[in-house]
């Protein structure tokens, strides 16, 4: 099968996601002088929460620079530079702000190669972060990847761990198409084994992150972490869950999902986004359309169908978490019996170390 | 400046906002406020001066850095503190937080945290007022960074074209987060830019609330006279970090030297010096009591029920 | 059941979709002085292909006016006016241009009522047209409704006929939420019986447009016409297709779809858009998640997963049509046997009368 | 104006574009071109003047009204006509049509039909040239309407800030579709607006191609000298309807009187009058033959295979 190897290599050192991002960029900038990185505040001392740390010192202000608050035109600038043969990385501290860039991304970046019959290509990376917690609220918390998945010509990836963050970054930069690179704020300080040398993670392949037999949990970005924890909770009650990390959203490796789901017979997809017309709708639809998918019971979870509230009590209910995922999976397998794991036990350690505000 | 009823009114507003912001900053490390806060300390005089010349029916539009405007226009203090606590008693039902203050009663349009977005919204409010023939002025407060967003230029043109009753107030504190003007503007003369769209523009470079008030008064009078939109560039300084309760002069992107002239000119201190000392103390005590009460209100007020999550998605 | 009545009343006169749109607006403007209509070119002699014809003459330039080319700010202006109690209708001659308005629509219009805890509401209508044919090409042809369906707080409707166009327009204007009103260029000159008096078509209800027993064809906007024609073609080979018109996309009446699909056992959804994370993904996912949907065979059709080409030969293949829909339905019902209806017979009459360029 | 090698070169370009546009208009009613066409007739001199001062390595960015620019910069005629026919032999493989001309060889950046979108793209091209230290000027042609889009203001500021080698050329024909300037701009002085962003601006109000060429020459020289972006407002007039091959003076939104001064000053006619008549006839015949050949090429060239639909979605 063509999915990614089951586990990232246990080689290299433990590295945080945030450092894997900057290392991935730095190695590509070293390798290829046409790579440059820009965007609001990429060159200040906060360095996009550390993910651009050291780049301006190392590569200078011609290749790493901040911009005015003009996301629309700056996206056009990135695309124009890409058409001219550069490989820009345009950084946004929140995915919500991409709504200012939709015209350039949807009407130009996605279409240029096609609309000009191959005469032009647009090799660029749009880095953006999904915000969560500490009252980020309505406009600093959205996971809007499905909007980009909908448009042919764009690629979309969403690494859930430091290994993929670095490897996908290299692959995205080298790709000759516009790639929306979806990061998650709560993952920034999670560690993984990451090789020191440069490597790529292939775009368009999912990964079975943890094996299981009773149900398939498919996660996106940070929700992979929640699924893995849910898997542990489920194991405590004798349920064996397989966790699939989509890794790449467009191209979407539904074959790997399908293989797992047709094996377990149950599929629960958990997205870092709303479900309506979301990635989770697409995954379920693909399974439903397929021969092998006939008979698989399916469900999906994501943001509540509301705007994201600031209130901590409501924010908690707005998101799926390990406990609600486990409970949902449990209800799919054992319909009659009500079960909800202890919320405390379900909290992921990285959530407990994180502290606001931005 | 003298101790008159006018200066007392202005001073009271300034002091009140300062003390409220300081209290918010003091509470913040307790983690009771789980919402990003963008304080107005150092910039209060602009909101105070402008709102002092407004009528109750007038509307102001503010950004995520909106505490001062909200309070100066008469937004309820309890509602504001409860909002930061994310309580249903908050002015936005605890769903907005510090960045999304609102008050239909006081005429504070809901605040947005996507920079620049509220500028065309304010023009829409002004258009509505014009279409209905209402005597209403709309004021839009925004930062220097917001003027770089395309919608600012689009709105200037539209407002001038329709002679909207709209007062643009740019709080130019010289920074967008940590990025100084000269890294963002090729021409630092924002008033020239604005005038070229057909909107009259003036600039103040002072913390003197009475000077700013005079500028605002003239602009608002022109708007009420049907002369169309006006623009004020109020040069100012943000004393604390962009977001959060602390100073950040050690971070390296600016020095405390830059701030000192502003601290020396602090209108709160300067006005306090010319006011009757007993009155100042009494006022300070009154405000402190009001703040205590509001904080107590926010802390005691009930938290959300889970079902509240599903309210307000669609208006009935 | 709660779906819309099977057929629009056969009362009133035959009226074209384009005239139904303007009549719907005119009656609401008459009724409610807070309604106004604006947008690029709404007041010129072409009158958005006739759909705003006569409005400026009747209601004057204060209530009907053109704008500068500033879609982003003009959307903000509409939202601000709506917050102030007006009921703006903002018109776009192509849906593609809404990409310039995404920030205001997604980050403000959709969220204001929620984010401000009910203190504010945004009663506005965003009229936009899907372009098709005559080499509209990459940037004048997109059906992007799923992008709006994804965002809680927005409503989305897509009338397929003049009766719904008028009734939904009234309902959308009276609704207290932002409504994206999706029109289709090829429908503008199709007729239906339309009452002279004002009426509303309820938002959030689908309609069974034509009954059948073997397969359910679900259509959106212009694709409902193609499905109806496909139904005729299928009838010729003894297959009875039921056609469901979604009418409203958000809220989405999946109950009506589900009732039909669980009756026929087969579901083919045909969208005027790409399928990936599209309305068709959502519909299939909902059926797949449901109890009653277990066992329903499903498939979807939509734009080819490419950018829209200008070339007439390729444009033809880019879109589903009556023939390809019928063939797909046939293959779902009679898997072994290959069948393709005669293309000429399949062409809808309205397509033959339409002639370019804009 | 005299019959010199310079004027011959300019005249030949003007005449060629005019004759091509007229031929396209003549073919259009046959429905062989199933693509919306936005003709440049009346506005050709701007493209001709500007492109005459460019080097082969320079790049131009054009909009949906891009035939004149494409041709003036040296875009292949056969590729253009075949593109309008939607044939694989077209410059955009028949996938773009009239609104999306492109030529990597001639330095024509792919054209966009969403107004204003190509302006920041041109800035991106200019940034790339600057980062690589290339001697390259980027020219961006756009209409008066495009200046109302927020991205224009954003791009002006960015280009000025980075001193990009970018020449903004506004073809101000007074209309956006049917909407005249005064319904869209509060201040008609676009040059003032542009200067306020820090970009030097000049205006021409003539059809005289040599006057425009001089303005363009000065601007391009300044850019090559590293002085950063320049702006030219070339006032002009669109003789035909916004989209399509016909006149539309009967529609009521403008009168033919408005056009007549421009027709009287038509640089094609005026230059023809001072040129050697025999040379003019010979040139006209040569161009006609070239056009015949290109049309024949487009008509005879094979149509698409269905599989072509799926090509070019992603670059390898
Ligand atoms: C569209 C958008 N881009 C970026 C951000 C991140 N951001 C928040 S505040 C800010 C700076 C705004 O500066 P200015 O307008 O001068 O206001 P100030 O904070 O100085 O009051 C930025 C870039 C945002 N919230 N919205
Ligand atoms: C963003 C956008 N809005 C609206 C349109 C529809 N439209 C096409 S051309 C045009 C007018 C453009 O006017 P101008 O920039 O002056 O160029 P001209 O056509 O006069 O050359 C409009 C509004 C569009 N294509 N793109
Ligand atoms: Mg600032
Ligand atoms: Mg024009």
């Amino acid at each position: 099968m063509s999915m990614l190897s089951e586990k990232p290599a246990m080689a290299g050192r433990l590295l945080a996601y945030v450092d894997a991002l900057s290392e991935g960029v730095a190695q590509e900038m070293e390798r290829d002088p046409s790579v440059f990185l820009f965007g609001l505040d990429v060159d200040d001392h906060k360095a996009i929460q550390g993910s651009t740390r050291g780049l301006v010192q190392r590569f200078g202000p011609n290749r790493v620079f901040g911009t005015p608050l003009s996301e629309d035109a700056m996206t056009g600038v990135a695309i124009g530079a890409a058409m001219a043969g550069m490989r820009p990385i345009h950084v946004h501290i929140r995915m919500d702000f991409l709504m200012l860039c939709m015209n350039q991304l949807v009407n130009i970046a996605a279409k240029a190669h096609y609309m000009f019959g191959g005469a032009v290509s647009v090799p660029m990376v749009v880095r953006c972060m999904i915000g969560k917690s500490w009252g980020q609220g309505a406009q600093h918390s959205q996971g809007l990847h499905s909007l980009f998945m909908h448009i042919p010509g764009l690629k979309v990836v969403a690494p859930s761990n430091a290994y993929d963050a670095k490897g996908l970054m290299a692959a995205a930069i080298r790709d000759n198409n516009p790639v929306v690179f979806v990061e998650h704020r709560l993952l920034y300080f999670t560690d993984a084994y990451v090789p020191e040398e440069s490597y790529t993670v292939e775009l368009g392949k999912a990964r079975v992150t943890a094996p299981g037999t009773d149900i398939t949990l498919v996660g996106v970005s940070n929700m992979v972490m929640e699924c893995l924890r849910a898997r542990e909770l489920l194991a405590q009650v004798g349920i064996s869950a397989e966790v699939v990390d989509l890794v790449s959203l467009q191209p979407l490796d539904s074959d790997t999902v399908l293989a797992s789901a047709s094996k377990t017979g149950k599929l629960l997809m958990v997205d870092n986004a709303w479900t309506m017309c979301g990635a989770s709708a697409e995954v379920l639809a693909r399974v439903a359309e397929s021969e092998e998918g006939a008979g698989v019971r399916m469900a999906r979870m994501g943001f509540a169908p509301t705007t994201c509230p600031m209130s901590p009590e409501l924010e908690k209910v707005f998101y799926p978490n390990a406990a609600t995922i486990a409970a949902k999976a449990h209800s799919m397998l054992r319909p009659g019996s009500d079960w909800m794991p202890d919320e405390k036990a379900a909290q992921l350690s990285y959530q407990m170390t994180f502290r606001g505000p931005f | 400046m003298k101790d008159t009823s006018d200066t007392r009114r202005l001073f009271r507003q300034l002091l009140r906002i300062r003390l409220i912001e300081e209290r918010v900053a003091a509470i913040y490390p307790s983690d009771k406020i789980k919402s990003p806060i963008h304080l107005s300390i150092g910039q209060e005089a602009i909101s105070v001066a402008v709102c002092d010349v407004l009528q109750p029916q007038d509307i102001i539009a503010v950004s995520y850095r909106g505490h001062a405007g909200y309070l100066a226009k008469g937004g309820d203090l309890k509602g504001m503190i409860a909002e930061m606590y994310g309580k249903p008693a908050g002015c936005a039902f605890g769903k907005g937080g510090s960045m999304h203050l609102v008050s239909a009663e006081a005429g504070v349009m809901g605040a947005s945290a996507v920079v620049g977005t509220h500028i065309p919204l304010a023009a829409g409010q002004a258009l509505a007022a014009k279409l209905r023939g209402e005597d209403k002025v709309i004021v839009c407060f925004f930062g220097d960074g917001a003027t770089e967003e395309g919608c600012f230029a689009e709105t200037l043109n539209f407002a001038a074209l329709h002679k909207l009753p709209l007062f643009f107030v740019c709080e130019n504190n010289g920074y967008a987060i940590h990025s100084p003007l000269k890294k963002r503007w090729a021409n630092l003369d924002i008033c020239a830019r604005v005038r070229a769209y057909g909107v009259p523009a003036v600039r103040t470079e002072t913390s003197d609330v009475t000077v700013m008030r005079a500028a605002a008064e003239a602009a608002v009078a022109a708007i009420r006279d049907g002369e169309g939109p006006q623009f004020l560039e109020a040069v100012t300084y943000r004393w604390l970090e962009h977001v959060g309760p602390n100073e950040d002069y050690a971070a390296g992107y600016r020095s405390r030297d830059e701030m000192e002239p502003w601290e020396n000119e602090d209108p709160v201190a300067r006005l306090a010096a010319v006011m009757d000392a007993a009155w100042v103390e009494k006022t300070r005590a009154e405000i402190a009591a009001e703040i205590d009460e509001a904080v107590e209100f926010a802390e005691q007020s009930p938290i959300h029920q889970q079902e509240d999550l599903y309210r307000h998605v669609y208006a009935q």
Side-chain angles (χ1 to χ4, degrees), chain B residues 30-51:
Chain B
S30 72
D31 287 352
K32 289 178 183 167
I33 296 176
K34 287 198 181 55
S35 174
I37 52 162
H38 302 75
L39 299 177
S40 301
I41 293 177
Q43 306 187 191
E44 307 92 336
I46 304 167
S47 298
V48 170
V50 171
C51 292

mmCIF file of all heavy atoms in Angstrom, chain B residues 30-51:
data_model
loop_
_atom_site.group_PDB
_atom_site.id
_atom_site.type_symbol
_atom_site.label_atom_id
_atom_site.label_comp_id
_atom_site.label_asym_id
_atom_site.label_seq_id
_atom_site.Cartn_x
_atom_site.Cartn_y
_atom_site.Cartn_z
ATOM 1 N N SER B 30 -3.434 36.474 37.463
ATOM 2 C CA SER B 30 -4.191 35.464 38.217
ATOM 3 C C SER B 30 -4.844 34.437 37.297
ATOM 4 O O SER B 30 -5.399 33.447 37.761
ATOM 5 C CB SER B 30 -5.288 36.154 39.021
ATOM 6 O OG SER B 30 -6.312 36.596 38.137
ATOM 7 N N ASP B 31 -4.819 34.698 35.989
ATOM 8 C CA ASP B 31 -5.441 33.797 35.007
ATOM 9 C C ASP B 31 -6.961 33.744 35.112
ATOM 10 O O ASP B 31 -7.583 32.835 34.558
ATOM 11 C CB ASP B 31 -4.888 32.373 35.099
ATOM 12 C CG ASP B 31 -3.482 32.277 34.544
ATOM 13 O OD1 ASP B 31 -3.005 33.277 33.951
ATOM 14 O OD2 ASP B 31 -2.876 31.219 34.681
ATOM 15 N N LYS B 32 -7.532 34.697 35.802
ATOM 16 C CA LYS B 32 -8.994 34.723 35.833
ATOM 17 C C LYS B 32 -9.544 35.226 34.505
ATOM 18 O O LYS B 32 -10.673 34.919 34.140
ATOM 19 C CB LYS B 32 -9.477 35.623 36.962
ATOM 20 C CG LYS B 32 -9.239 35.018 38.335
ATOM 21 C CD LYS B 32 -9.698 35.973 39.419
ATOM 22 C CE LYS B 32 -9.390 35.382 40.792
ATOM 23 N NZ LYS B 32 -9.544 36.410 41.848
ATOM 24 N N ILE B 33 -8.760 36.046 33.841
ATOM 25 C CA ILE B 33 -9.158 36.544 32.529
ATOM 26 C C ILE B 33 -8.477 35.657 31.488
ATOM 27 O O ILE B 33 -7.286 35.791 31.232
ATOM 28 C CB ILE B 33 -8.722 38.013 32.349
ATOM 29 C CG1 ILE B 33 -9.455 38.908 33.356
ATOM 30 C CG2 ILE B 33 -8.954 38.479 30.926
ATOM 31 C CD1 ILE B 33 -9.028 40.366 33.324
ATOM 32 N N LYS B 34 -9.204 34.737 30.900
ATOM 33 C CA LYS B 34 -8.606 33.825 29.914
ATOM 34 C C LYS B 34 -8.883 34.334 28.519
ATOM 35 O O LYS B 34 -9.526 33.690 27.702
ATOM 36 C CB LYS B 34 -9.147 32.406 30.094
ATOM 37 C CG LYS B 34 -8.607 31.704 31.332
ATOM 38 C CD LYS B 34 -8.797 30.205 31.230
ATOM 39 C CE LYS B 34 -8.297 29.477 32.472
ATOM 40 N NZ LYS B 34 -8.906 29.963 33.730
ATOM 41 N N SER B 35 -8.419 35.534 28.247
ATOM 42 C CA SER B 35 -8.680 36.185 26.970
ATOM 43 C C SER B 35 -7.518 37.127 26.715
ATOM 44 O O SER B 35 -7.021 37.752 27.649
ATOM 45 C CB SER B 35 -10.000 36.967 27.100
ATOM 46 O OG SER B 35 -10.264 37.744 25.964
ATOM 47 N N PRO B 36 -7.047 37.230 25.480
ATOM 48 C CA PRO B 36 -5.941 38.162 25.201
ATOM 49 C C PRO B 36 -6.403 39.599 25.470
ATOM 50 O O PRO B 36 -7.489 39.982 25.053
ATOM 51 C CB PRO B 36 -5.672 37.959 23.706
ATOM 52 C CG PRO B 36 -6.386 36.700 23.312
ATOM 53 C CD PRO B 36 -7.511 36.537 24.276
ATOM 54 N N ILE B 37 -5.601 40.389 26.173
ATOM 55 C CA ILE B 37 -5.972 41.793 26.428
ATOM 56 C C ILE B 37 -4.984 42.756 25.779
ATOM 57 O O ILE B 37 -3.777 42.603 25.870
ATOM 58 C CB ILE B 37 -6.064 42.118 27.934
ATOM 59 C CG1 ILE B 37 -4.791 41.678 28.666
ATOM 60 C CG2 ILE B 37 -7.310 41.516 28.563
ATOM 61 C CD1 ILE B 37 -4.626 42.349 30.024
ATOM 62 N N HIS B 38 -5.528 43.753 25.143
ATOM 63 C CA HIS B 38 -4.747 44.802 24.477
ATOM 64 C C HIS B 38 -5.078 46.104 25.187
ATOM 65 O O HIS B 38 -6.127 46.698 24.930
ATOM 66 C CB HIS B 38 -5.116 44.893 22.999
ATOM 67 C CG HIS B 38 -4.916 43.613 22.237
ATOM 68 N ND1 HIS B 38 -5.777 42.534 22.353
ATOM 69 C CD2 HIS B 38 -3.949 43.232 21.356
ATOM 70 C CE1 HIS B 38 -5.340 41.547 21.560
ATOM 71 N NE2 HIS B 38 -4.246 41.933 20.955
ATOM 72 N N LEU B 39 -4.200 46.526 26.060
ATOM 73 C CA LEU B 39 -4.529 47.675 26.915
ATOM 74 C C LEU B 39 -4.286 49.005 26.204
ATOM 75 O O LEU B 39 -3.456 49.107 25.295
ATOM 76 C CB LEU B 39 -3.745 47.584 28.215
ATOM 77 C CG LEU B 39 -4.057 46.313 29.031
ATOM 78 C CD1 LEU B 39 -3.185 46.248 30.287
ATOM 79 C CD2 LEU B 39 -5.533 46.233 29.407
ATOM 80 N N SER B 40 -5.012 50.011 26.651
ATOM 81 C CA SER B 40 -4.942 51.344 26.032
ATOM 82 C C SER B 40 -4.098 52.304 26.853
ATOM 83 O O SER B 40 -4.099 53.500 26.556
ATOM 84 C CB SER B 40 -6.353 51.915 25.916
ATOM 85 O OG SER B 40 -7.177 51.089 25.160
ATOM 86 N N ILE B 41 -3.408 51.826 27.853
ATOM 87 C CA ILE B 41 -2.686 52.748 28.744
ATOM 88 C C ILE B 41 -1.698 53.608 27.940
ATOM 89 O O ILE B 41 -0.894 53.089 27.185
ATOM 90 C CB ILE B 41 -1.977 51.976 29.880
ATOM 91 C CG1 ILE B 41 -3.054 51.368 30.798
ATOM 92 C CG2 ILE B 41 -1.039 52.893 30.670
ATOM 93 C CD1 ILE B 41 -2.516 50.524 31.934
ATOM 94 N N GLY B 42 -1.807 54.914 28.120
ATOM 95 C CA GLY B 42 -1.016 55.869 27.344
ATOM 96 C C GLY B 42 -1.805 56.479 26.204
ATOM 97 O O GLY B 42 -1.484 57.560 25.724
ATOM 98 N N GLN B 43 -2.838 55.792 25.752
ATOM 99 C CA GLN B 43 -3.597 56.257 24.592
ATOM 100 C C GLN B 43 -5.009 56.752 24.961
ATOM 101 O O GLN B 43 -5.774 57.124 24.075
ATOM 102 C CB GLN B 43 -3.716 55.127 23.558
ATOM 103 C CG GLN B 43 -2.381 54.528 23.153
ATOM 104 C CD GLN B 43 -2.444 53.523 21.994
ATOM 105 O OE1 GLN B 43 -1.479 52.842 21.731
ATOM 106 N NE2 GLN B 43 -3.563 53.459 21.294
ATOM 107 N N GLU B 44 -5.320 56.762 26.261
ATOM 108 C CA GLU B 44 -6.701 57.011 26.671
ATOM 109 C C GLU B 44 -7.241 58.352 26.225
ATOM 110 O O GLU B 44 -8.447 58.513 25.976
ATOM 111 C CB GLU B 44 -6.840 56.953 28.198
ATOM 112 C CG GLU B 44 -6.316 55.716 28.892
ATOM 113 C CD GLU B 44 -4.865 55.859 29.342
ATOM 114 O OE1 GLU B 44 -4.117 56.680 28.755
ATOM 115 O OE2 GLU B 44 -4.475 55.149 30.272
ATOM 116 N N ALA B 45 -6.362 59.353 26.167
ATOM 117 C CA ALA B 45 -6.843 60.720 25.935
ATOM 118 C C ALA B 45 -7.584 60.856 24.611
ATOM 119 O O ALA B 45 -8.483 61.693 24.467
ATOM 120 C CB ALA B 45 -5.675 61.702 25.994
ATOM 121 N N ILE B 46 -7.230 60.019 23.646
ATOM 122 C CA ILE B 46 -7.879 60.123 22.337
ATOM 123 C C ILE B 46 -9.358 59.753 22.458
ATOM 124 O O ILE B 46 -10.240 60.508 22.031
ATOM 125 C CB ILE B 46 -7.179 59.212 21.305
ATOM 126 C CG1 ILE B 46 -5.688 59.554 21.224
ATOM 127 C CG2 ILE B 46 -7.841 59.351 19.939
ATOM 128 C CD1 ILE B 46 -4.856 58.529 20.485
ATOM 129 N N SER B 47 -9.617 58.616 23.047
ATOM 130 C CA SER B 47 -11.019 58.201 23.220
ATOM 131 C C SER B 47 -11.780 59.209 24.061
ATOM 132 O O SER B 47 -12.938 59.535 23.769
ATOM 133 C CB SER B 47 -11.086 56.838 23.913
ATOM 134 O OG SER B 47 -10.460 55.863 23.136
ATOM 135 N N VAL B 48 -11.142 59.673 25.111
ATOM 136 C CA VAL B 48 -11.822 60.610 26.011
ATOM 137 C C VAL B 48 -12.156 61.903 25.281
ATOM 138 O O VAL B 48 -13.283 62.410 25.360
ATOM 139 C CB VAL B 48 -10.942 60.883 27.256
ATOM 140 C CG1 VAL B 48 -11.507 62.038 28.076
ATOM 141 C CG2 VAL B 48 -10.836 59.609 28.102
ATOM 142 N N ALA B 49 -11.191 62.423 24.560
ATOM 143 C CA ALA B 49 -11.415 63.695 23.860
ATOM 144 C C ALA B 49 -12.522 63.551 22.825
ATOM 145 O O ALA B 49 -13.435 64.379 22.744
ATOM 146 C CB ALA B 49 -10.118 64.139 23.178
ATOM 147 N N VAL B 50 -12.454 62.517 22.048
ATOM 148 C CA VAL B 50 -13.422 62.361 20.954
ATOM 149 C C VAL B 50 -14.823 62.090 21.512
ATOM 150 O O VAL B 50 -15.801 62.706 21.090
ATOM 151 C CB VAL B 50 -12.987 61.238 19.987
ATOM 152 C CG1 VAL B 50 -14.091 60.931 18.977
ATOM 153 C CG2 VAL B 50 -11.695 61.632 19.271
ATOM 154 N N CYS B 51 -14.924 61.181 22.444
ATOM 155 C CA CYS B 51 -16.255 60.823 22.957
ATOM 156 C C CYS B 51 -16.882 61.985 23.723
ATOM 157 O O CYS B 51 -18.108 62.073 23.824
ATOM 158 C CB CYS B 51 -16.191 59.558 23.812
ATOM 159 S SG CYS B 51 -15.801 58.101 22.812
#
